[in-house]
């Protein structure tokens, strides 16, 4: 397994789905529709069967969990070429962007004014998922594992939040958000910095995060923090006739 696939597995461990299964090394994931990563098959490694057969298993799992069949695969890989040859197509309709840049960079050096909490607050949830109480799927995905919840408080208002997860030697950053009225005050940088010492205490030596290639603002921000692209992944969906529901 190459470095791209190994890092994909670290990211997957940091973003656990509610329901999982495997086809060889491929990971099948479902989480009630909350995020593409938690509701797709991660096609890395050897599925232990021909690609067409493995993709039929992906379809069966998706249909059983009432989610659309989707595969996440390293862009430009041999596996991606095999998936395309099996009649699947890029998921260009994915709202968040179907091509994603996986960035790696240094750990932040600390921000005293931003705490990293052991459990999320109502304000953290509201900024992260849009309401003070998450759904069961959101709670599972966002709180399972070695997780820290950084938040920036301004005069009693949760103005910024981010999720930090440590898997092996990797700090996985996700859901960085700053309330519109509080942007351009350095809060996003402070949130990122605060996660560094917290993660280092838990064995992390580097940071990874995932950003849609269409999100130019976010990519520019992370570039300023010293992040570079490690690789990209794409989401694929079945073309016409490639994924019939065999349970019907």
């Amino acid at each position: 397994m190459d470095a791209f696939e190994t890092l994909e597995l670290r990211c997957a461990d940091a973003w656990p789905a509610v329901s999982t299964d495997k086809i060889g090394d491929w990971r099948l994931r479902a989480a009630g529709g909350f995020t593409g990563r938690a509701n797709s098959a991660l096609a890395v490694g050897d599925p232990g069967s021909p690609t067409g057969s493995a993709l039929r298993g992906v379809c069966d799992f998706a249909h059983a969990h009432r989610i659309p069949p989707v595969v996440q695969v390293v862009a430009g890989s041999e596996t991606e070429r095999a998936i395309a040859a099996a009649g699947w197509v890029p998921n260009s309709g994915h709202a968040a962007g179907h091509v994603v840049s996986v960035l790696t960079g240094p750990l932040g050096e600390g921000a005293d004014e931003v705490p990293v909490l052991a459990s999320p607050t109502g304000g953290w949830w509201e900024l992260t998922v849009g309401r003070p109480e998450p759904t069961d799927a959101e709670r599972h995905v966002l709180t399972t594992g070695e997780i820290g919840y950084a938040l920036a408080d301004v005069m009693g208002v949760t103005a910024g939040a981010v999720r930090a997860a440590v898997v092996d030697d990797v700090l996985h950053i996700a859901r960085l958000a700053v309330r519109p009225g509080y942007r351009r005050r350095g809060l996003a940088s402070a949130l990122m910095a605060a996660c560094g010492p917290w993660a280092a205490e838990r064995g992390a030596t580097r940071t990874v995060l995932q950003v849609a290639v269409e999100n130019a603002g976010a990519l520019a921000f992370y570039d300023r923090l010293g992040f570079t692209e490690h690789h990209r992944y794409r989401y694929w969906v079945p073309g016409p006739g490639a994924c019939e529901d065999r349970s019907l």
Side-chain angles (χ1 to χ4, degrees), residues 8-228:
E8 282 296 328
L9 293 176
R10 298 289 184 274
C11 292
D13 288 340
W15 199 256
V18 176
S19 300
T20 61
D21 204 344
K22 297 188 77 173
I23 299 175
D25 293 331
W26 288 18
R27 297 189 183 188
L28 311 181
R29 304 171 294 185
F34 176 61
T35 77
R37 276 177 286 159
N39 291 273
S40 60
L42 179 60
V44 300
D46 182 3
S49 61
T51 300
S53 176
L55 290 172
R56 284 193 293 275
V58 170
C59 292
D60 291 344
F61 178 86
H63 293 144
H65 289 84
R66 299 182 180 180
I67 58 173
V70 179
V71 169
Q72 176 190 340
V73 62
V74 174
S77 64
E78 182 178 344
T79 300
E80 185 178 57
R81 290 188 288 272
I83 288 170
W88 287 51
V89 297
N91 187 18
S92 57
H94 185 53
H98 76 290
V99 183
V100 178
S101 178
V102 179
L103 307 177
T104 56
L107 297 178
E109 296 183 353
D112 293 339
E113 71 274 20
V114 175
V116 180
L117 306 179
S119 58
T121 64
W124 190 94
W125 281 119
E126 193 278 326
L127 194 53
T128 302
V129 301
R131 71 194 81 83
E133 285 294 330
T135 65
D136 289 344
E138 290 167 343
R139 185 179 297 279
H140 177 90
V141 172
L142 295 175
T143 66
T144 301
E146 186 72 50
I147 312 298
Y149 309 89
L151 59 85
D153 182 277
V154 179
M155 302 291 289
V157 175
T158 301
V162 71
R163 176 187 185 268
V166 171
V167 176
D168 294 337
D169 66 337
V170 172
L171 164 62
H172 181 271
I173 291 290
R175 293 278 156 166
L176 176 64
V178 175
R179 202 176 295 277
Y182 296 85
R183 292 172 183 167
R184 300 189 181 280
R185 301 188 187 186
L187 295 181
S189 296
L191 286 161
M192 290 290 294
C195 296
W198 175 89
E201 291 176 357
R202 290 157 177 80
T205 60
R206 56 180 172 153
T207 304
V208 62
L209 50 89
Q210 297 138 302
V211 182
V213 297
E214 300 170 358
N215 193 342
L219 290 172
F221 168 72
Y222 292 121
D223 179 70
R224 291 193 295 272
L225 294 183
F227 284 79
T228 58

